[in-house]
């Protein structure tokens, strides 16, 4: 029988090979993929986030855990889609116009995926128009904007303005983050949420999608 | 006027030149190069600690040889001595000589990595600071710590920023004693397969910071105020410490 403790540990320890192997076993045994995610993967990634918060884990450990988790999710996703299982929430994420940095944004995207969110990553240097058309098309619950440079942070404001002009601002919650961003700035530009790191981003995102389940 | 300069190690030569040319009495303290790479919170704490230590020593002002640098200066407080700092996004603004020049160059040349004397000669110190990313020992150290497969994966992920850049620009300020700095920058550009460019920068902002020539290009933070990022052309502003946060 598939050893789910082994899967939990594999994600926690960033062991992609084992994570994939145990997931394959679980699929062969027809375990419910939604339960596998909610009872094993999400708790494992939550623990990864906790260890990062208390500085036992650093960026490399986050990246490795995310890779293990993704390896497993790639196998589970088609099954989830087939069974009609709903994700925790739908997220569109990208680094704002003018900014080409994506390590932070990628980490947030991975942690959100690990938290059971369906994530569409638009990449870096994303124009306000592109964000607007993606929100219109994909109807996400959350839009996450990232910036690394002080000089590009104002693009977050421009993007939120573009959403307002397109009449879409009320249809989506907007979260912002990155080195130049402060909670004050987030409030000033009319974002709904801010988080200081990738781990907190999951907690904040969950509050928006399922306020009752926020941990 | 008696000033205390608290400066970033990566700007040591430019700031030293400005000290030499200042009419004022200047004490100086340089903080480790690349403090911002070790986390903005740490950078803020170091700078606050250094400014606090200058209380009661008769300074008319504390000059910060720094740019806003993410939010590295945000929330730093002036106690009883005013702080003065350039209105600059990051040190590239300082080296280029104005925030307008930086913005113009940035918009015209996306994906540019910058180098200057300090960034070239202190490259090793900057590497040492990236502990949060785990890149300090390079590929070998990652493999040793995480194993062959994971180590290689991490190295590729952490170095992926290189693909985001297509140009390396050396900003000269006229303080280069020889051509070696520019040459090293050019070699780095070739190694990374980036286009090499040069920009004729300036020491104007450094000189004015220490000459006390603080017009609109500088922010003077009065006592009992803190630095805030303004996210507009002013870049930084000052608000009273007891003013509630927005």
């Amino acid at each position: 029988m598939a050893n789910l403790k082994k899967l939990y540990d594999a994600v926690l320890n960033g062991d992609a090979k084992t994570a994939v192997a145990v997931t394959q076993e679980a699929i062969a045994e027809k375990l419910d993929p939604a339960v596998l995610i909610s009872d094993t993967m999400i708790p494992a990634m939550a623990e990864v986030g906790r260890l990062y918060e208390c500085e036992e884990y650093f960026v490399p450990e986050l990246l490795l855990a995310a890779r293990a988790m993704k390896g497993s999710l790639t196998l589970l996703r088609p099954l989830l889609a087939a069974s009609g299982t709903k994700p925790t929430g739908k997220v569109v994420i990208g680094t704002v116009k003018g900014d080409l940095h994506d390590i932070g944004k990628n980490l947030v995207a991975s942690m959100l995926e690990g938290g059971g969110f369906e994530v569409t990553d638009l990449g870096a240097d994303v124009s306000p128009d592109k964000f607007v058309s993606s929100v219109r098309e994909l109807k996400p619950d959350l839009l996450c904007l990232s910036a690394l440079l002080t000089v590009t942070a104002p693009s977050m404001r421009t993007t939120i303005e573009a959403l307002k002009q397109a009449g879409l601002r009320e249809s989506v919650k907007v979260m912002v983050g990155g080195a130049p961003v402060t909670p004050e700035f987030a409030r000033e530009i009319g974002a709904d949420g801010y988080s200081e790191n990738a781990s907190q981003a999951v907690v904040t995102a969950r509050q928006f999608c399922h306020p009752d389940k926020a941990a | 006027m008696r000033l205390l300069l608290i400066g970033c190690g990566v700007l040591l030569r430019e700031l030293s030149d400005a000290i030499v040319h200042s009419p004022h009495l200047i004490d100086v303290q340089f903080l480790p190069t690349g403090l911002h790479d070790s986390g903005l919170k740490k950078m803020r704490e170091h700078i606050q600690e250094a400014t606090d230590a200058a209380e009661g020593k008769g300074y008319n002002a504390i000059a910060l040889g720094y740019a806003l640098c993410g939010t590295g200066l945000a929330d730093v407080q002036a106690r009883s001595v005013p702080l003065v700092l350039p209105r600059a996004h990051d040190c590239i603004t300082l080296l280029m000589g104005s925030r307008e020049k930086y913005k113009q160059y940035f918009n015209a040349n996306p994906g540019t990595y910058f180098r200057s004397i300090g960034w070239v000669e202190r490259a090793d110190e900057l590497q040492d600071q990236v502990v949060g990313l785990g890149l300090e020992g390079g590929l070998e150290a990652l493999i040793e710590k995480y194993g062959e497969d994971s180590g290689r994966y991490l190295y590729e992920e952490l170095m992926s920023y290189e693909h985001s850049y297509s140009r390396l620009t050396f900003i000269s300020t006229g303080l280069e004693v020889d051509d070696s700095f520019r040459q090293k920058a050019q070699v780095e550009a070739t190694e990374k397969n980036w286009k090499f460019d040069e920009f004729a920068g300036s020491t104007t902002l450094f000189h004015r910071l220490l000459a006390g020539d603080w017009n609109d290009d500088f922010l003077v933070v009065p006592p009992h105020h803190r630095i805030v990022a303004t996210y507009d052309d002013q870049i930084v502003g000052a608000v009273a410490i007891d003013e509630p946060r927005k």
Side-chain angles (χ1 to χ4, degrees), chain A residues 14-208:
Chain A
D15 178 353
K17 271 187 197 154
T18 306
V20 167
V22 180
T23 307
Q24 279 165 339
E25 280 172 42
I27 291 171
E29 290 166 18
K30 307 226 178 306
L31 285 184
D32 184 345
V35 174
L36 200 64
I37 290 177
S38 64
D39 291 6
T40 305
M41 315 278 284
I42 292 179
M45 285 306 278
E47 177 62 6
V48 169
R50 192 191 67 78
L51 290 170
Y52 178 75
E53 296 271 335
C54 63
E55 298 192 359
E56 275 187 49
Y57 270 18
F58 295 95
V59 170
E61 284 80 11
L62 282 194
L63 285 170
L64 291 175
R67 180 173 71 147
M69 184 270 307
K70 274 185 186 169
S72 181
L73 274 185
T74 308
L75 299 171
L76 295 171
R77 226 178 253 129
L79 304 174
L80 285 175
S83 68
T85 308
K86 293 252 183 309
T88 310
K90 275 172 83 173
V91 177
V92 167
I93 189 168
T95 307
V96 295
K97 188 168 169 49
D99 205 318
L100 300 163
H101 299 88
D102 61 4
I103 290 186
K105 181 264 296 164
N106 293 348
L107 272 176
V108 173
S110 294
M111 293 299 283
L112 285 170
E113 277 189 67
F117 288 83
E118 179 188 313
V119 179
T120 304
D121 186 349
L122 301 179
D125 191 18
V126 180
S127 69
D129 285 352
K130 176 69 185 161
F131 278 120
V132 166
S133 62
S134 300
V135 167
R136 185 175 286 130
E137 194 185 315
L138 301 168
K139 301 187 175 47
D141 303 298
L142 274 173
L143 177 66
C144 298
L145 308 177
S146 165
L148 180 77
L149 300 174
T150 314
V151 73
T152 55
S155 292
M156 292 181 163
R157 189 198 305 270
T158 324
T159 303
I160 292 178
E161 287 303 320
L163 279 175
K164 278 186 197 161
Q165 283 187 2
L168 292 167
R169 180 64 190 91
E170 300 307 318
S171 72
V172 66
K173 297 287 184 193
V174 180
M175 276 170 60
V176 294
V181 182
T182 60
E184 284 97 342
F185 176 64
R187 280 191 288 274
E188 189 199 315
I189 63 172
D192 300 294
Y194 158 82
S195 59
E196 198 176 288
N197 57 47
S199 165
Q200 276 302 313
V202 181
V203 178
T204 311
R206 211 164 266 155
Q207 282 166 357
F208 287 129

Side-chain angles (χ1 to χ4, degrees), chain B residues 116-192:
Chain B
S116 65
I117 298 181
W119 282 95
V120 169
E121 71 182 350
R122 293 177 186 275
D124 292 347
E125 295 169 34
L126 287 158
Q127 284 288 321
D128 287 343
Q129 298 287 334
V130 289
V131 283
L133 285 181
L135 258 176
E136 60 276 19
L139 176 61
E140 280 175 21
L142 285 171
I143 289 177
E144 195 178 320
K145 187 164 178 196
Y146 298 99
E148 179 76 27
D149 176 61
S150 296
R152 284 193 185 281
Y153 170 75
L154 286 173
Y155 188 74
E156 270 170 36
E157 284 292 305
L158 294 170
M159 294 302 284
S160 66
Y161 77 93
E162 286 195 355
H163 305 304
S164 306
Y165 291 92
S166 54
R167 177 191 303 259
L168 186 144
T169 297
F170 181 75
I171 308 171
S172 58
T173 53
L175 296 176
E176 300 75 18
V177 283
D178 57 32
D179 196 37
S180 65
F181 303 100
R182 192 194 63 82
Q183 281 173 17
K184 277 184 188 153
Q186 193 163 16
V187 167
E188 188 184 353
T190 310
E191 279 171 1
K192 291 182 169 157

Side-chain angles (χ1 to χ4, degrees), chain B residues 3 5 12-28 30 175 203 206-211:
Chain B
L3 297 174
L5 166 66
L12 187 138
R13 289 191 190 236
E14 292 81 6
L15 288 165
S16 299
D17 182 63
I19 294 170
V20 171
H21 290 90
S22 170
H24 305 295
L25 195 161
I26 296 170
D27 290 327
V28 60
F30 283 103
L175 296 176
T203 52
F206 301 101
H207 280 227
R208 286 177 50 203
L209 174 68
L210 297 185

